[in-house]
Amino acid sequence: MYVLGNWKMNGSIELLQSFLQPMRDLQSSLGQSVQIGLAPPAPLLGVLVHEKGFLFGSQDVSEQDEGAFTGETSSALLASLGCDFSLVGHSERRQMFGDTEQRAANKAEKALEAGLKPVFCIGETWQQREARQTWQCLEGQLAPLQAALGDSVADCVIAYEPVWAIGTGKTASPEQAQEVHAWIRQKLGSNNDLPILYGGSVKPDNADELFAQPDIDGGLIGGASLQWESFEAICQAAGRQQQ
Ligand code: PGA
């Protein structure tokens, strides 16, 4: 299981510093069956350089290697800081910053080449769900990833994040999420070891029932990862599934 916090464009150096020791202590008490991690805003990755007590990663990665790409960060640079993972294709990047399906797949490829685990985010909008286009949408997001990575898709983490559940307080029901997770697993070759995380308004009071689903292998947590108490409670919920 993984529980990863996505701070988005929130937080501060002080907040991150206040998380460090509690994160290390929690990871060591949970053991290796639950891996916890954080993706703070990029400048704060400097605080985490070579942190070994828990996972850390970036919220995005460039599809380019290096060069005149102002504002971009290469996978090689992130790997040299000791990052473990990179979020790729988050819906906010897809919707607001021009990450096309192909670009997201390219980014995942770059991350893997550098030894970073891509946490590849997919999800449908409410309109698509209402129009019964969920599978078509997810298929469109996964096909370029499969084409780019082939069997190495098995080295990714997939995060199913229905766009309508992100930051809205509306969570997919455990049954809705399980249905999609099972479909994703089957689509990507029925690999039981492929971690498929759920994201979208995960909170301490819904984490247990989500994580109890057979094909939900943890969560990608936005808003609730900005307060230690709620993030810890969600990590503990993952821990209870391993007992
Ligand atoms: P949320 O965000 O938990 O605030 O809904 C999840 C995400 O965007 O990764």
Side-chain angles (χ1 to χ4, degrees), residues 91-99:
S91 65
E92 287 152 16
R93 304 247 29 119
R94 291 180 191 263
Q95 292 193 322
M96 293 186 272
F97 302 102
D99 274 14

Side-chain angles (χ1 to χ4, degrees), residues 113-130:
E113 273 172 25
L116 299 169
K117 208 168 243 316
V119 178
F120 193 79
C121 306
I122 60 174
E124 81 286 2
T125 63
W126 183 250
Q127 256 178 338
Q128 288 169 321
R129 178 163 277 262
E130 288 275 274

